[in-house]
Amino acid sequence: MEKETNIILRVSPSDKKIIQDKANEAGASVSEYARKMLLSGSIIKIEGDEKKILNGIANNLNQLTRHANSTGIIPVEVAATLRELIEKIRYAYRKR
């Protein structure tokens, strides 16, 4: 099928590089990749209480990451908390 129209999309230089890299990994041109993602990709919309919960989890992850980076070690309780947070995030996405 011949393509007859254009969609103009503005992105930052870093986003453009990421999109180009993903297209290359998929073995497609940027145009092909974008077309397939726009037509069959999905976006998970999170609102209300779920958004507050995920923001709290993200905040906890950031604090744990800062702690691990500043000390160079990951204590057992931090690793356990990370696993727990990852499971909560997985559960949130499974509900969709």
Side-chain angles (χ1 to χ4, degrees):
M1 173 189 275
E2 187 175 325
K3 282 86 175 167
E4 300 174 0
T5 62
N6 292 321
I7 296 176
I8 306 298
L9 176 67
R10 298 178 67 83
V11 297
S12 68
S14 60
D15 285 348
K16 180 179 178 181
K17 174 77 170 109
I18 292 168
I19 293 167
Q20 288 172 325
D21 291 345
K22 287 184 175 191
N24 287 336
E25 287 174 20
S29 68
V30 170
S31 181
E32 269 182 299
Y33 178 79
R35 189 170 34 261
K36 286 180 182 178
M37 290 302 294
L38 288 167
L39 292 171
S40 62
S42 64
I43 294 175
I44 297 172
K45 186 174 182 180
I46 301 171
E47 294 181 307
D49 288 341
E50 287 183 339
K51 187 172 184 176
K52 288 178 187 175
I53 291 167
L54 287 175
N55 282 340
I57 292 170
N59 185 42
N60 289 342
L61 283 171
N62 285 335
Q63 290 175 5
L64 292 169
T65 301
R66 269 189 239 117
H67 179 269
N69 286 334
S70 67
T71 63
I73 56 173
I74 301 175
V76 174
E77 63 273 6
V78 172
T81 303
L82 285 171
R83 280 192 289 279
E84 181 184 330
L85 292 172
I86 289 167
E87 281 306 309
K88 285 182 180 180
I89 292 168
R90 285 185 179 147
Y91 176 75
Y93 280 103
R94 275 189 220 122
K95 288 179 22 177
R96 308 267 169 239

